[in-house]
Coordinates of all heavy atoms in Angstrom, one line a residue:
A25 N 95.5 58.9 -124.9 CA 95.4 60.3 -125.3 C 96.1 61.2 -124.3 O 96.3 60.9 -123.2 CB 93.9 60.5 -125.2
R26 N 96.3 62.4 -124.9 CA 96.9 63.4 -124.0 C 96.3 64.7 -124.3 O 96.1 65.2 -125.5 CB 98.5 63.5 -124.3 CG 99.0 64.5 -123.3 CD 100.6 64.4 -123.5 NE 101.0 65.2 -124.9 CZ 102.1 65.3 -125.2 NH1 103.2 64.9 -124.6 NH2 102.4 66.0 -126.4
R27 N 95.9 65.5 -123.2 CA 95.4 66.9 -123.4 C 96.3 67.9 -122.6 O 96.5 67.9 -121.5 CB 94.0 67.1 -122.9 CG 93.5 68.5 -123.2 CD 91.9 68.5 -123.3 NE 91.6 69.8 -123.9 CZ 90.4 70.3 -123.9 NH1 89.4 69.5 -123.4 NH2 90.1 71.5 -124.5
G28 N 97.1 68.6 -123.5 CA 98.1 69.4 -122.8 C 99.1 68.5 -122.3 O 99.8 67.6 -122.9
Q29 N 99.5 68.6 -121.0 CA 100.4 67.7 -120.4 C 99.8 66.5 -119.6 O 100.4 65.7 -118.9 CB 101.3 68.5 -119.3 CG 102.2 69.6 -120.0 CD 103.1 69.0 -121.0 OE1 103.8 68.1 -120.9 NE2 103.1 69.7 -122.3
R30 N 98.4 66.5 -119.6 CA 97.6 65.4 -118.9 C 97.4 64.2 -119.7 O 96.9 64.4 -120.8 CB 96.3 66.0 -118.4 CG 95.5 65.2 -117.7 CD 94.4 65.8 -117.0 NE 93.4 66.5 -118.0 CZ 92.4 65.7 -118.6 NH1 92.2 64.5 -118.2 NH2 91.7 66.3 -119.4
F31 N 97.9 63.0 -119.3 CA 97.6 61.8 -120.0 C 96.2 61.3 -119.7 O 95.8 61.4 -118.5 CB 98.7 60.8 -119.7 CG 100.0 61.1 -120.5 CD1 100.9 61.9 -119.7 CD2 100.2 60.8 -121.8 CE1 102.1 62.2 -120.5 CE2 101.4 61.0 -122.5 CZ 102.3 61.8 -121.8
I32 N 95.5 60.6 -120.6 CA 94.2 60.1 -120.4 C 94.1 58.6 -120.9 O 94.5 58.3 -122.0 CB 93.1 60.9 -121.2 CG1 93.3 62.4 -120.9 CG2 91.8 60.4 -121.1 CD1 92.6 63.2 -122.0
E33 N 93.8 57.8 -119.9 CA 93.6 56.3 -120.2 C 92.2 56.2 -120.9 O 91.2 56.7 -120.3 CB 93.8 55.5 -119.0 CG 95.1 55.5 -118.5 CD 96.2 54.9 -119.4 OE1 95.8 54.1 -120.3 OE2 97.3 55.2 -119.4
L34 N 92.1 55.4 -121.9 CA 90.8 55.2 -122.5 C 90.4 53.8 -122.6 O 91.3 52.8 -122.8 CB 90.9 55.7 -124.1 CG 91.3 57.3 -124.2 CD1 91.5 57.4 -125.7 CD2 90.1 58.1 -123.7
S35 N 89.2 53.5 -122.5 CA 88.7 52.1 -122.8 C 88.6 51.9 -124.3 O 88.9 52.8 -125.1 CB 87.2 51.9 -122.1 OG 86.3 52.6 -123.0
T36 N 88.3 50.7 -124.6 CA 88.4 50.3 -126.1 C 87.3 51.2 -126.8 O 87.6 51.8 -128.0 CB 87.8 48.8 -126.3 OG1 88.8 48.1 -125.7 CG2 87.9 48.5 -127.8
T37 N 86.1 51.3 -126.3 CA 85.1 52.2 -127.1 C 85.4 53.6 -127.1 O 85.2 54.3 -128.0 CB 83.7 51.9 -126.4 OG1 83.3 50.5 -126.4 CG2 82.5 52.7 -127.1
E38 N 85.9 54.1 -125.9 CA 86.3 55.5 -125.9 C 87.4 55.8 -126.9 O 87.3 56.9 -127.6 CB 86.9 55.8 -124.5 CG 85.7 55.8 -123.4 CD 86.3 55.8 -122.0 OE1 87.5 55.7 -121.9 OE2 85.5 55.8 -121.0
Y39 N 88.3 54.9 -127.0 CA 89.5 55.1 -128.0 C 88.9 55.1 -129.5 O 89.3 56.0 -130.3 CB 90.4 53.9 -127.8 CG 91.4 53.8 -129.1 CD1 92.4 54.7 -129.2 CD2 91.1 52.9 -130.1 CE1 93.3 54.6 -130.3 CE2 92.1 52.8 -131.1 CZ 93.1 53.7 -131.3 OH 93.9 53.7 -132.3
E40 N 88.0 54.2 -129.8 CA 87.5 54.2 -131.2 C 86.7 55.5 -131.5 O 86.7 56.0 -132.6 CB 86.6 52.9 -131.3 CG 87.3 51.6 -131.1 CD 88.2 51.4 -132.4 OE1 88.1 52.0 -133.3 OE2 89.0 50.5 -132.4
L41 N 85.9 55.9 -130.5 CA 85.1 57.1 -130.7 C 85.9 58.3 -130.9 O 85.7 59.2 -131.8 CB 84.2 57.2 -129.5 CG 83.1 58.2 -129.5 CD1 82.1 58.0 -130.7 CD2 82.2 58.3 -128.3
L42 N 87.0 58.5 -129.9 CA 87.8 59.7 -130.1 C 88.6 59.6 -131.4 O 88.9 60.6 -132.0 CB 88.8 59.6 -129.0 CG 89.7 60.9 -128.7 CD1 89.0 62.2 -128.9 CD2 90.6 60.8 -127.6
R43 N 89.1 58.5 -131.8 CA 89.9 58.3 -133.1 C 89.0 58.8 -134.2 O 89.5 59.5 -135.2 CB 90.4 57.0 -133.3 CG 91.2 56.8 -134.6 CD 91.8 55.4 -134.6 NE 90.8 54.4 -134.9 CZ 91.0 53.1 -135.2 NH1 92.2 52.8 -135.4 NH2 89.9 52.3 -135.4
L44 N 87.7 58.4 -134.3 CA 86.8 58.8 -135.3 C 86.7 60.3 -135.4 O 86.7 61.0 -136.4 CB 85.5 58.2 -135.1 CG 84.5 58.3 -136.2 CD1 85.1 57.9 -137.6 CD2 83.1 57.4 -136.0
F45 N 86.5 60.9 -134.1 CA 86.3 62.5 -134.0 C 87.6 63.1 -134.6 O 87.5 64.1 -135.4 CB 86.1 62.8 -132.7 CG 84.7 62.7 -132.3 CD1 84.2 62.0 -131.2 CD2 83.7 63.3 -133.0 CE1 82.9 61.9 -130.8 CE2 82.3 63.3 -132.6 CZ 81.9 62.5 -131.5
L46 N 88.8 62.6 -134.2 CA 90.1 63.2 -134.5 C 90.4 63.1 -136.0 O 91.1 63.8 -136.6 CB 91.1 62.6 -133.7 CG 91.2 63.1 -132.2 CD1 92.2 62.3 -131.4 CD2 91.7 64.6 -132.1
R47 N 89.8 62.0 -136.6 CA 90.1 61.9 -138.1 C 89.1 62.6 -138.8 O 89.3 62.7 -140.0 CB 90.0 60.4 -138.5 CG 91.3 59.6 -138.0 CD 91.2 58.1 -138.5 NE 92.6 57.5 -138.3 CZ 92.7 56.2 -138.3 NH1 91.7 55.3 -138.4 NH2 93.9 55.7 -138.0
N48 N 88.2 63.3 -138.2 CA 87.1 64.1 -138.9 C 86.8 65.2 -138.2 O 85.6 65.7 -137.8 CB 85.8 63.2 -139.1 CG 86.0 61.9 -139.9 OD1 86.0 62.0 -141.1 ND2 86.3 60.9 -139.1
P49 N 87.9 66.2 -137.9 CA 87.7 67.4 -137.1 C 86.7 68.4 -138.0 O 86.8 68.4 -139.2 CB 89.1 67.9 -137.0 CG 89.9 67.4 -138.2 CD 89.2 66.0 -138.3
R50 N 85.9 69.1 -137.2 CA 85.1 70.2 -137.7 C 83.9 69.6 -138.6 O 83.3 70.4 -139.2 CB 85.9 71.2 -138.3 CG 86.9 71.8 -137.5 CD 87.6 72.9 -138.3 NE 88.9 73.5 -137.5 CZ 89.9 73.1 -137.6 NH1 90.3 71.9 -138.2 NH2 91.0 73.5 -136.7
I51 N 83.8 68.3 -138.7 CA 82.8 67.6 -139.5 C 81.8 67.1 -138.6 O 82.0 66.4 -137.7 CB 83.4 66.5 -140.4 CG1 84.4 67.2 -141.5 CG2 82.2 65.8 -141.1 CD1 85.1 66.1 -142.3
V52 N 80.5 67.4 -138.9 CA 79.4 66.9 -138.1 C 79.1 65.5 -138.3 O 78.9 65.0 -139.6 CB 78.2 67.7 -138.4 CG1 77.0 67.0 -137.5 CG2 78.2 69.1 -137.9
L53 N 79.4 64.6 -137.3 CA 79.1 63.2 -137.5 C 77.7 62.9 -136.9 O 77.4 63.1 -135.7 CB 80.2 62.4 -136.7 CG 81.6 62.8 -137.1 CD1 82.7 62.0 -136.2 CD2 81.8 62.5 -138.6
T54 N 76.9 62.3 -137.7 CA 75.5 62.0 -137.2 C 75.5 60.8 -136.3 O 76.5 60.0 -136.3 CB 74.7 61.6 -138.5 OG1 75.1 60.3 -139.0 CG2 74.6 62.7 -139.5
R55 N 74.5 60.8 -135.6 CA 74.3 59.7 -134.5 C 74.4 58.2 -135.3 O 74.9 57.3 -134.9 CB 73.0 59.9 -133.7 CG 73.2 60.9 -132.7 CD 71.9 61.1 -132.0 NE 72.0 62.1 -130.9 CZ 72.0 63.4 -131.1 NH1 71.8 63.9 -132.3 NH2 72.1 64.2 -130.0
A56 N 73.6 58.2 -136.4 CA 73.6 57.0 -137.3 C 74.9 56.6 -137.6 O 75.3 55.3 -137.5 CB 72.7 57.2 -138.4

């Protein structure tokens, strides 16, 4: 991941979680 010019290393779970958020921007994702 990258925010601005800053690169971010992600663990497996962090990557999967962020990918899910980025594929569903502005949509509320329930805990379930």
Side-chain angles (χ1 to χ4, degrees):
R26 185 178 72 178
R27 184 155 194 193
Q29 300 302 312
R30 182 171 62 86
F31 286 93
I32 304 166
E33 294 294 337
L34 302 170
S35 70
T36 302
T37 302
E38 292 164 355
Y39 165 77
E40 296 291 345
L41 191 57
L42 181 57
R43 184 176 64 168
L44 187 56
F45 279 122
L46 284 168
R47 283 183 170 165
N48 299 276
R50 303 183 185 87
I51 297 174
V52 176
L53 303 180
T54 66
R55 289 178 172 83

